[in-house]
Amino acid sequence: MDASVLDQFRQAVLLSFDVQADAQLRSQANASLEALKGSEEVWSFCIAAFTASGEDRVQFWCLQALVDAAQGGRFARLGEDAKASVRSSLEAYVASLASSSDSDATPPYVRNKFSQLYVALMRAEYPVRWPTPFEALLASLPLGAAAVDLFLRVLQTVHEDIVSSEVSTFDAQAASRVKDAMREQCVSRVVEALYSLLAQLPLGEGVAPPPWAEKALGIAAHYTVWVDIGLLGSPRFLALYASLLQQPPLHEGACHCLRAVVEKRMEPAPKLQHLQSIRAVEMLSAAHEGMVARGRPLTEPFAALVAQCSLELLDVWDRLSQRGGEAAGEGAADLLRASMPLLLAALASDGLEVSSSTMPFLHAYLGRLRKLLPAASAIAQHEAHLQQLLVQLARRSVHPDGAAGLPSEDPDDDETSFADYRREVSTLFRSAARVHPSLACAFVKSTLQSVLGASDTERLEGVQWSHVEVALWLLYLLGEGLPEATTREKGGPFGELMLALLSSSAASHPHAAVSLQYLEIVVRYYRFFLQQPALLPDTLRSFLGARGIRSPQQALRSRACQLLLRFVKQTLKSATATQLEIAASLVDTLQRQPAPRSLRDGGGGGGNGADGGEPVLSDAEELCLYEACGLLLGSGLASEEQAAAAAAKLSELLALPMNQLQALCQTAPPPAAAAATAEEGSAAADGRSPLVQFVYPRRPSPPEAAPRTSFDMAAAWPTLRQLLRCTATISTVVVGLAATLLTAGAGQISSDPAVREQMRAVLPLMAATLSTHGTAITLEGVLLAQKDFAGLAATYTAVGLSCAALLALVRRSGAGLLGVWGVYVWYCLLRVVLFAGRGFGWRALKPTPQAAEAAPALG
């Protein structure tokens, strides 16, 4: 290539990358470069410029232009000699790059772009016309780090651009062709090269691996999916991966490689043999012990690996059991039970991400155990692991230190993550309760006894609120997981737990989260109180104090008001004389509220009250209490004395909003604005407040000859005409469809000739009804627009009386179905006539000139 041409090209490329260059010069440079991209000489020119230039940006531009040409299918249009020249140039660059003494001389973005071009030509030419792309790469490996880096970049690009089905340009035929050719020609040597590279990695504490090590592990994981498992899943590779698990910089990559080996797709029987042969469970257990010995916590990749291994064993167990019974899957079940301690250790990890990695398996595991419910002995084999699972789920559900434990309107990221995690745990706990109800009941009972038995007043300070709260939370979940018959059983295990809760001091616990959970339980399982009405009074009282509707904490108070209303509604039929006491307390609470609310600072929001006094309820909270009071005072009472007391309290309750209304009515209105409307000026001159005028308006004197309505029929006529046309069109279509259905499609409706003959006989009457019904509805809308309700009432009175008379006549005469349809026709026609006469004043209406001009626009 001529040096001057190369220099001009170099200057044009540099100008295209220089955003601060002169705009006109840069535009000219871009135009010339685009012209070069579209020419047939792009291959020869860019290959020569790439080889001759030492400028990184020039090399990158040349490679990008060639990649675009290759992906656009222009390489196929070259002659065979030109193709061979391009391929040989690329292989020559591989050798020159590998032999370079400075491995960092070529920047990574140029190497990546070269790899894309190399693989793009492989996609088109390998293996038929270009059988040696991997030969050149493998031959260059001994030359140094630059060759290793390029080798790995090409392998990674093969996966991303050809093999992976996740890219938009995926071609299944090309992927199969490349993979088959690699399996036949070079995959064993590629795998051997990977092993040699990984085996020579320096290991030890504080030793940094080379920059390409993590990429090599990623390639091994990707290729394991489609390469023979005997290559990348051989014992020497497994031992290598196991050793790299203990190296923090390479730990994640080793986990990905082992996960690819574990989840290799196979039939269930060979898959079980594979997992047994690689001793997957023993290997992971040993790795975990090594991590514990070094004081390293479980990581998310390792927990995901353990969960995936367990999930694969579960899948094999399930598929083998479906094909040959439970005995056929016993080997997989044994391995699964052996892996459970490791998986539970991952679940117990302090990190939410680590613990969450086990959730998919645990959901599937409990779902699989539900299939064993008919066989109690099969469930018993998993009982120990279920017990440990319940323990870990309870421990991981404890609120972290510093958490409030109450719902927040604006939660931070940690609160949101914990709420999502706890939601997952709740689903698992309910599933475990369905699998083994007696075990779940016993666990919750022991948990409650351990915290509630120690939460008496004198020992309360030694118990963390979060432990009490999680015990109550588990009881709440238990009731949802148990069969409904178990929760409703009087004197059953769940009823015993409820009695233990109600007899404890949980309702008086000082922490708001515990109080809220207690109230949630009693409302959720209100049926228990329908069976035990004697427990209702004390339970209702638990809503009333500072740990309920009078709590200074907005979240607890608001929720307590809602729950109290629900509880009253649910248990009202079992209410006792205590309901007057509860209602009196609610009335007292409402009486203590400042009024009227519209005069408070802050509007409708709640607050803690002045100087720590009675909390100020929000509007929604007050509404809940008013409704609860009304329900309690309006329910049946046992004696006249109770009824009289309820009436007195009801009067006090009603006096509250009436007093507030009176106070609002007596409030002077603000001064009238200078730009007040005539109506506002009239209201001010009236001398009364706007609210009083609204409630007690002055009766206006009847106007002289006041029109019936201000509806402008002339202005509305163009729109009404369009509506009538639209209605006529719709009616025509409907009549046509009905006629087609009852004639051509009569056989599809009934095979009885008499029925089909009757349908044809009533068709004209049906058509008349359908064609006039829409018009009647439209004209009825005219009367509604005019607010002529008297006319509507009179019309329907006349229509109703006439139709009743006609139907009686049909019945006496025996006219049958034809008579009924005749009445339908009369019903529609009479409405059209009466509505039209009433709406148009029994005269033809001519639109005004202004309305006539507006008609085209409306149409």
Side-chain angles (χ1 to χ4, degrees):
M1 176 179 289
D2 185 80
S4 61
V5 175
L6 177 61
D7 186 63
Q8 293 177 4
F9 171 70
R10 183 184 67 82
Q11 292 179 6
V13 171
L14 295 180
L15 272 175
S16 68
F17 283 109
D18 188 1
V19 295
Q20 297 181 350
D22 181 76
Q24 183 176 0
L25 292 177
R26 191 167 180 235
S27 176
Q28 294 174 356
N30 285 328
S32 62
L33 293 175
E34 289 298 323
L36 175 60
K37 279 185 178 181
S39 67
E40 294 298 330
E41 291 78 19
V42 64
W43 287 99
S44 58
F45 186 91
C46 286
I47 286 291
F50 172 75
T51 305
S53 176
E55 177 67 41
D56 300 336
R57 287 172 291 180
V58 174
Q59 290 184 328
F60 178 83
W61 191 94
C62 292
L63 292 172
Q64 182 62 62
L66 294 175
V67 168
D68 292 341
Q71 293 176 347
R74 295 168 60 190
F75 184 75
R77 297 200 294 265
L78 294 178
E80 291 302 323
D81 293 340
K83 290 181 180 179
S85 175
V86 172
R87 294 194 297 263
S88 61
S89 298
L90 297 183
E91 291 184 357
Y93 179 77
V94 169
S96 65
L97 181 64
S99 60
S100 174
S101 57
D102 186 2
S103 59
D104 296 328
T106 305
Y109 61 86
V110 173
R111 301 182 196 180
N112 281 337
K113 194 56 63 177
F114 179 82
S115 301
Q116 290 181 18
L117 176 61
Y118 203 80
V119 172
L121 297 191
M122 282 180 56
R123 183 190 185 105
E125 302 283 294
Y126 181 73
V128 177
R129 289 177 292 275
W130 190 18
T132 60
F134 289 104
E135 299 294 338
L137 293 169
L138 290 169
S140 67
L141 283 178
L143 299 178
V148 172
D149 179 80
L150 184 60
F151 171 69
L152 296 177
R153 287 180 190 273
V154 170
L155 291 180
Q156 180 68 23
T157 308
V158 167
H159 167 74
E160 294 174 351
D161 292 358
I162 298 180
V163 176
S164 176
S165 60
E166 298 179 358
V167 296
S168 59
T169 57
F170 174 71
D171 183 350
Q173 184 177 0
S176 297
R177 170 170 50 81
V178 171
K179 289 191 292 185
D180 291 342
M182 289 184 66
R183 290 188 187 103
E184 294 177 2
Q185 296 181 2
C186 62
V187 75
S188 59
R189 286 183 292 159
V190 169
V191 169
E192 184 65 30
L194 285 174
Y195 179 78
S196 300
L197 293 173
L198 294 172
Q200 66 183 4
L201 290 175
L203 305 179
E205 296 290 340
V207 178
W212 49 260
E214 190 172 351
K215 183 180 296 184
L217 288 172
I219 292 169
H222 291 317
Y223 279 61
T224 301
V225 176
W226 58 272
V227 169
D228 186 355
I229 193 61
L231 295 174
L232 288 170
S234 62
R236 61 173 185 164
F237 265 99
L238 295 176
L240 178 61
Y241 297 151
S243 64
L244 296 179
L245 284 176
Q246 307 302 329
Q247 306 299 314
L250 303 176
H251 171 82
E252 183 175 355
C255 288
H256 292 327
C257 291
L258 286 172
R259 181 169 178 172
V261 172
V262 165
E263 62 185 7
K264 181 80 171 179
R265 292 185 179 181
M266 300 179 188
E267 287 296 309
K271 184 61 172 286
L272 178 58
Q273 295 176 0
H274 167 61
L275 295 175
Q276 290 172 334
S277 65
I278 66 175
R279 304 174 65 86
V281 176
E282 293 88 337
M283 177 178 56
L284 296 180
S285 299
H288 178 235
E289 292 174 0
M291 295 167 66
V292 172
R294 291 173 173 82
R296 296 173 184 156
L298 279 176
T299 64
E300 182 181 359
F302 187 78
L305 169 60
V306 172
Q308 188 62 40
C309 181
S310 301
L311 196 59
E312 295 295 327
L313 289 169
L314 181 66
D315 179 66
V316 171
W317 175 26
D318 192 35
R319 289 195 289 167
L320 289 177
S321 300
Q322 290 178 0
R323 298 181 183 183
E326 291 295 334
E330 193 58 33
D334 290 340
L335 277 179
L336 181 61
R337 284 190 288 269
S339 70
M340 284 301 295
L342 185 57
L343 188 123
L344 291 173
L347 173 64
S349 174
D350 293 335
L352 287 183
E353 295 81 4
V354 178
S355 186
S356 298
S357 299
T358 64
M359 298 297 180
F361 163 74
L362 291 173
H363 285 296
Y365 174 67
L366 293 171
R368 178 65 180 88
L369 291 186
R370 292 189 69 180
K371 298 181 180 180
L372 303 178
L373 288 179
S377 58
I379 290 291
Q381 297 179 6
H382 299 267
E383 186 170 320
H385 296 138
L386 283 173
Q387 175 72 28
Q388 290 301 313
L389 175 60
L390 294 175
V391 172
Q392 297 303 334
L393 291 177
R395 289 177 177 173
R396 294 297 295 122
S397 301
V398 176
H399 282 281
D401 294 338
L406 292 174
S408 174
E409 295 181 358
D410 187 21
D412 57 26
D413 292 341
D414 291 338
E415 291 173 336
T416 302
S417 299
F418 182 76
D420 294 340
Y421 177 82
R422 217 183 195 206
R423 196 175 300 114
E424 286 282 338
V425 170
S426 66
T427 303
L428 290 173
F429 190 89
R430 285 191 289 262
S431 298
R434 295 186 186 102
V435 170
H436 206 317
S438 60
L439 182 65
C441 286
F443 173 74
V444 173
K445 182 178 181 179
S446 64
T447 305
L448 285 173
Q449 290 175 345
S450 65
V451 295
L452 296 183
S455 60
D456 296 330
T457 304
E458 64 274 9
R459 303 174 60 186
L460 195 59
E461 296 180 357
V463 179
Q464 294 184 23
W465 71 266
S466 56
H467 293 176
V468 181
E469 190 273 342
V470 81
L472 301 187
W473 182 70
L474 293 176
L475 175 59
Y476 183 93
L477 297 178
L478 178 66
E480 295 186 337
L482 293 177
E484 188 173 355
T486 303
T487 58
R488 293 189 178 189
E489 181 184 358
K490 190 173 183 179
F494 188 77
E496 294 178 358
L497 293 175
M498 288 294 294
L499 286 174
L501 172 66
L502 297 174
S503 62
S504 69
S505 57
S508 60
H509 197 282
H511 199 279
V514 177
S515 301
L516 179 57
Q517 193 62 60
Y518 174 86
L519 298 179
E520 293 280 2
I521 291 174
V522 297
V523 175
R524 173 65 178 81
Y525 302 109
Y526 69 93
R527 290 189 179 90
F528 171 80
F529 298 95
L530 301 181
Q531 298 175 348
Q532 304 280 353
L535 299 173
L536 265 177
D538 289 338
T539 305
L540 282 169
R541 292 188 187 100
S542 65
F543 285 88
L544 303 180
R547 298 174 180 86
I549 63 173
R550 294 179 177 174
S551 171
Q553 299 192 46
Q554 170 74 23
L556 173 58
R557 183 177 65 248
S558 178
R559 184 61 178 161
C561 292
Q562 298 172 17
L563 293 174
L564 173 62
L565 176 58
R566 283 176 52 189
F567 193 64
V568 168
K569 289 180 177 179
Q570 294 163 342
T571 60
L572 193 60
K573 59 184 178 182
S574 298
T576 63
T578 317
Q579 66 195 61
L580 286 177
E581 174 193 340
I582 305 301
S585 178
L586 295 179
V587 171
D588 180 66
T589 299
L590 291 171
Q591 287 175 336
R592 294 172 182 268
Q593 295 300 304
R597 180 168 302 281
S598 61
L599 302 180
R600 298 185 205 159
D601 293 335
N608 294 340
D611 302 326
E614 187 79 19
V616 178
L617 301 178
S618 68
D619 294 337
E621 293 163 7
E622 280 196 5
L623 287 174
C624 289
L625 297 190
Y626 271 110
E627 186 174 354
C629 277
L631 291 171
L632 290 170
L633 295 175
S635 61
L637 298 170
S639 64
E640 293 184 3
E641 182 181 356
Q642 292 177 351
K649 283 297 176 186
L650 187 59
S651 298
E652 294 182 28
L653 181 66
L654 293 176
L656 295 175
M658 295 304 296
N659 292 337
Q660 291 187 6
L661 180 60
Q662 184 178 5
L664 289 174
C665 291
Q666 294 173 354
T667 303
T677 62
E679 182 179 354
E680 291 170 338
S682 175
D686 187 78
R688 300 179 299 161
S689 69
L691 180 60
V692 173
Q693 294 182 56
F694 175 75
V695 178
Y696 302 108
R698 293 193 184 277
R699 189 180 301 277
S701 58
E704 297 180 1
R708 186 184 65 191
T709 176
S710 60
F711 183 77
D712 190 348
M713 178 63 73
W717 173 250
T719 301
L720 182 60
R721 184 172 57 189
Q722 295 295 335
L723 288 175
L724 291 173
R725 289 176 180 174
C726 180
T727 301
T729 303
I730 296 174
S731 299
T732 303
V733 174
V734 172
V735 169
L737 292 174
T740 304
L741 182 63
L742 296 183
T743 53
Q748 303 296 323
I749 300 175
S750 176
S751 60
D752 191 337
V755 174
R756 294 200 297 269
E757 182 63 29
Q758 188 71 12
M759 287 192 296
R760 284 191 289 269
V762 301
L763 180 57
L765 297 176
M766 182 184 298
T769 302
L770 295 175
S771 61
T772 55
H773 177 70
T775 303
I777 295 297
T778 303
L779 295 175
E780 182 179 3
V782 173
L783 295 189
L784 288 173
Q786 294 174 333
K787 298 183 180 180
D788 187 7
F789 302 116
L792 283 172
T795 300
Y796 272 109
T797 299
V799 170
L801 291 175
S802 63
C803 287
L806 289 174
L807 287 174
L809 178 62
V810 169
R811 183 175 183 181
R812 288 195 302 269
S813 64
L817 186 60
L818 288 174
V820 173
W821 275 102
V823 175
Y824 285 165
V825 173
W826 168 257
Y827 169 71
C828 290
L829 288 176
L830 184 59
R831 287 193 302 157
V832 169
V833 173
L834 294 179
F835 287 155
R838 183 75 181 182
F840 300 141
W842 303 98
R843 67 183 182 274
L845 182 67
K846 295 182 179 180
T848 62
Q850 294 83 356
E853 293 177 1
L858 293 170

